[in-house]
Amino acid sequence: MHELSLVASLFDVIECHVKEQKPKAVTRVRVQLGRMSGVVPELFETAFDTYKKGTLAEDAELEIVVVPVKARCRSCRRIFRPAPDAYSCPHCGSDRWKLLEGTDIVLEKIEIEI
Amino acid sequence: MKRGTPPAPQTRAGRPAVSRSRRKEILVREEILGTNRKVAAELRKRFEERGVLAVNMISSPGAGKTALLEALADRVKGRFRMAVIEGDIETERDAERIRRKGVPARQITTGGACHLEAKMIGKVIPSIPGDVELLFIENVGNLVCPASFDLGESLRLVLLSSPEGDDKPKKYPEAFLSADVLIISKADLFPHLPFDAARAAREALDVNPRLLVFVISALTGQGLPEFVEFLAARLAALRHA
């Protein structure tokens, strides 16, 4: 349950981006969660709803986009999306690959009311 | 970001104006853990400049992180100066165990948090002896949450103990994915358990083919000499970089 810590960091980033605009409210927050980021979307949502109380984002809607895992095979150089529990390249079968996407937690955009 | 009461907009005649709020979108595209990463990068630079090999240890509770540190303390005595930062939700117990081995240890009690963060490490660094060469950071016992937080380490270990079962790497991939080294611990229990060390290693290597695997028993000392030599080599490489 580290989702609350992550939401606290999320609010720091939000504050950083909105403070100069002096908004009346933050109305929408869109976050990308990598499927391998170790974050459970439902828990992230609960943590967000708990944390937002008493802040400018009190009535904000949280939109979560789950980003699938993307990898590049080190042998055949092709890009593929590994299925859960599949750890080899579907094209050549190699188990040497590099993750390109799907491990990050990104604040994509914020909507504010000014 | 506390909610303030904005003054009601007034017209020149002093009557409330029609609200003219509008909505605006701000594109951010920023990694939420960016702040932690930045602090961690500063710590890593500091450690590496001072020739300190910082090691972050991750595992479920009871996998044998503290026992491994106790055994290492005996093995590196007189060869390397070692110190430990202990992360736990409550109590000084683990730090006391390490201190009994004559190794400086600093306890961080998180008071509920299930992982350590880089800024917590930054805060206790001043109380770690300046001439330390091997700095172990024993994370809070948890195979999930600590994986997301870089602590500025140069080496990340994940421990999997034989009683936990050989099927864990694919069930908890994040910890194995982010580690440099897998330690299969409590090897002395292999004869008593339906644990297949080769399967555990294979599963972990499927998740992360870069992992180096050590099979260790802190109790009998099996695998410890090899692991100490590995640490020595990493420390030497860091100093000659």
Side-chain angles (χ1 to χ4, degrees), chain B residues 138-152:
Chain B
E138 184 182 332
N139 221 309
V140 180
N142 179 333
L143 203 48
V144 183
C145 311
S148 305
F149 297 87
D150 185 352
L151 301 182

Side-chain angles (χ1 to χ4, degrees), chain A residues 32-38 65-73 78-83 97-106 108, chain B residues 29 31 37 174 177:
Chain A
Q32 302 174 353
L33 295 182
R35 192 172 60 73
M36 292 281 266
S37 65
V65 183
V66 176
V67 179
V69 182
K70 199 160 110 182
R72 182 199 297 278
C73 176
R78 274 193 272 195
I79 289 174
F80 63 98
R81 297 197 180 278
W97 42 269
K98 184 182 187 304
L99 273 179
L100 301 175
E101 253 178 48
T103 55
D104 286 348
I105 310 154
V106 176
E108 190 186 330
Chain B
R29 295 215 183 96
E31 238 277 311
R37 275 195 196 157
E174 284 85 3
L177 194 64

Side-chain angles (χ1 to χ4, degrees), chain B residues 56-68 87-88 94 114-115 137-147 156-162 164 168 172 175-176 178-179 181-186:
Chain B
N56 181 1
M57 304 169 77
I58 297 177
S59 80
S60 354
K65 296 185 293 301
T66 317
L68 174 62
D88 277 297
D94 280 358
C114 51
H115 61 273
I137 304 166
E138 184 182 332
N139 221 309
V140 180
N142 179 333
L143 203 48
V144 183
C145 311
R156 184 176 286 198
L157 313 184
V158 59
L159 276 81
L160 174 65
S161 66
S162 52
E164 290 171 71
K168 293 299 171 290
Y172 299 90
F176 295 88
S178 69
V181 173
L182 164 66
I183 291 180
I184 298 179
S185 61
K186 306 192 187 180

Side-chain angles (χ1 to χ4, degrees), chain A residues 1-2 5-6 17 21 24 55-56 85 87 95 104-105 107-114, chain B residues 1 3 21-26 28-33 115 117 145 148 170 174 177 206 209:
Chain A
M1 242 316 269
H2 59 315
S5 304
L6 295 174
H17 284 271
Q21 322 246 1
K24 287 181 193 153
T55 75
L56 270 179
D85 204 23
Y87 293 92
D95 60 1
D104 286 348
I105 310 154
L107 170 59
E108 190 186 330
K109 57 186 179 184
I110 315 163
E111 186 190 71
I112 55 171
E113 197 177 305
I114 46 177
Chain B
M1 201 170 57
R3 179 192 282 268
S21 338
R22 59 189 183 88
R23 294 198 169 181
K24 188 182 162 188
E25 205 171 78
I26 306 170
V28 182
R29 295 215 183 96
E30 200 175 310
E31 238 277 311
I32 293 174
L33 286 170
H115 61 273
E117 294 188 19
C145 311
S148 305
K170 283 189 178 168
E174 284 85 3
L177 194 64
D206 272 354

